[in-house]
C-alpha cells in the first residue's frame, strides 16, 4: 500500500489538501481527533456543506426521493430537491495545530431520530444549519442537540431565494443563548463553510477550557460547590 502522506495544511489553507488531490492518510504524528455533527432539518444543505469542506472524498448515503417519501417529507422551500440522506454524510477536515475534525452529517427527518442518537454518541459539538425560509424547522434539531448535552453553533445557509435578515433578528427568532455562535454562510463555499465550522470549534474549546478551570478550582467539582462537612 502506498504510504505517501499529504503535506500539513498551511495557515492560509485551514482545510488542508483538497478532496481531489489530498491523501486519505493522516500525518504520522500526534494529532487531536474531534467528532462533530453537522445537523439541521431536511433539505438545509448538510450534504453540500460536508462536500465543500472534506479533504477526502466524502461518504454520502443519499437515495432518490419517491412519491411515498413526499407524504412524510415537507418539500416547502425545497421543491427542486430529488435526493435525501438516509444514513450519514461523512468527511474529514484538518486544521492548523494538528486538529483533525471528523464531520458526521445526520438525517434531518424525525423518523431517523434513533439513528441520530447513535451517531451523536462521542461527539464534542454540533453545527446546526438553518434556512431563513423555514427557520421553525430547526427547533426540533436544536432540542435534540440540547437534550444530548452538546454545545452547538448555528450556520444560516444562504439560498438564492432565501430572505436576508440581520443576525440579531435571526438570533431572536431562533431564541439562541447569547454565547451560541451564529454565522451566515453559503454551504457551497469552502471558505465560508470553514469559517462556520471554526466558529463551532472555537466555541466548544472555550467551553472545555472553562470546565477544566472549574474542575481544577478547590472546593468545586463540575461547576458546583462540594457540600461542606458539619461537625
Amino acid at each position: 500500500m502506498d504510504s505517501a502522506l499529504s503535506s500539513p495544511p498551511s495557515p492560509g489553507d485551514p482545510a488542508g489538501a483538497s478532496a481531489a488531490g489530498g491523501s486519505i492518510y493522516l500525518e504520522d504524528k500526534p494529532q487531536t481527533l474531534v467528532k462533530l455533527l453537522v445537523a439541521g432539518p431536511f433539505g438545509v444543505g448538510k450534504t453540500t456543506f460536508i462536500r465543500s469542506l472534506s479533504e477526502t472524498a466524502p461518504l454520502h448515503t443519499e437515495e432518490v426521493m419517491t412519491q411515498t417519501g413526499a407524504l412524510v417529507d415537507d418539500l416547502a422551500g425545497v421543491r427542486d430537491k430529488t435526493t435525501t440522506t438516509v444514513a450519514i454524510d461523512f468527511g474529514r477536515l484538518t486544521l492548523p495545530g494538528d486538529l483533525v475534525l471528523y464531520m458526521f452529517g445526520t438525517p434531518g427527518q424525525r423518523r431517523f431520530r434513533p439513528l441520530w442518537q447513535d451517531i451523536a454518541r462521542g461527539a464534542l459539538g454540533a453545527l446546526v444549519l438553518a434556512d431563513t425560509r423555514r427557520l421553525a424547522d430547526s427547533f426540533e434539531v436544536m432540542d435534540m442537540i440540547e437534550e444530548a448535552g452538546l454545545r452547538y453553533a448555528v450556520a444560516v445557509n444562504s439560498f438564492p431565494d432565501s430572505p436576508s435578515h440581520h443576525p440579531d433578528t435571526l438570533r431572536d427568532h431562533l431564541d439562541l443563548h447569547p454565547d451560541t455562535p451564529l454565522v451566515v454562510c453559503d454551504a457551497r463555499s469552502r471558505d465560508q463553510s470553514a469559517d462556520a465550522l471554526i466558529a463551532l470549534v472555537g466555541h466548544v474549546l472555550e467551553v472545555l477550557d472553562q470546565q477544566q478551570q472549574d474542575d481544577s478550582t478547590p472546593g468545586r467539582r463540575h461547576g458546583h460547590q462540594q457540600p461542606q462537612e458539619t461537625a
Side-chain angles (χ1 to χ4, degrees):
M1 182 185 298
D2 187 359
S3 61
L5 300 176
S6 60
S7 60
S10 65
D13 181 16
S18 66
S23 169
I24 64 172
Y25 304 107
L26 291 174
E27 294 285 347
D28 187 16
K29 61 182 180 180
Q31 294 177 309
T32 302
L33 310 181
V34 177
K35 178 181 180 181
L36 298 174
L37 303 183
V38 178
F42 168 72
V44 79
K46 301 181 292 293
T47 298
T48 300
F49 182 91
I50 291 178
R51 181 185 295 125
S52 70
L53 278 178
S54 183
E55 64 195 12
T56 61
L59 167 67
H60 298 301
T61 53
E62 286 194 307
E63 294 293 340
V64 175
M65 296 176 60
T66 65
Q67 290 296 326
T68 301
L71 299 176
V72 292
D73 293 332
D74 185 4
L75 295 178
V78 288
R79 292 293 178 184
D80 295 333
K81 186 171 178 60
T82 59
T83 62
T84 185
T85 298
V86 295
I88 62 169
D89 295 313
F90 174 78
R92 190 187 78 198
L93 175 66
T94 301
L95 298 179
D98 301 326
L99 184 63
V100 182
L101 309 180
Y102 290 107
M103 302 173 287
F104 289 78
T106 60
Q109 296 95 316
R110 181 179 303 177
R111 64 183 182 275
F112 292 114
R113 182 164 184 164
L115 176 62
W116 185 95
Q117 292 171 330
D118 288 339
I119 297 172
R121 290 192 179 96
L124 198 59
L127 182 70
V128 179
L129 294 185
D131 181 352
T132 58
R133 298 170 298 182
R134 44 199 181 94
L135 281 178
D137 291 354
S138 301
F139 293 150
E140 182 178 15
V141 176
M142 290 191 292
D143 286 344
M144 288 193 298
I145 290 173
E146 291 175 355
E147 290 171 4
L150 295 177
R151 298 290 176 172
Y152 66 94
V154 175
V156 178
N157 190 12
S158 299
F159 290 88
D161 60 340
S162 58
S164 178
H165 301 285
H166 191 278
D168 290 343
T169 302
L170 294 172
R171 183 177 290 278
D172 288 341
H173 278 285
L174 291 169
D175 193 24
L176 297 181
H177 188 278
D179 293 337
T180 301
L182 182 144
V183 299
V184 178
C185 74
D186 184 335
R188 300 168 299 180
S189 167
R190 184 179 181 86
D191 290 341
Q192 292 184 32
S193 296
D195 288 343
L197 205 59
I198 289 172
L200 167 63
V201 173
H203 176 54
V204 169
L205 293 180
E206 286 179 0
V207 171
L208 290 178
D209 287 343
Q210 185 60 52
Q211 289 177 346
Q212 290 176 352
Q213 292 177 16
D214 290 344
D215 289 345
S216 63
T217 301
R220 292 183 65 87
R221 186 175 183 180
H222 300 299
H224 299 284
Q225 288 189 347
Q226 296 179 342
Q228 296 180 353
E229 295 182 358
T230 57

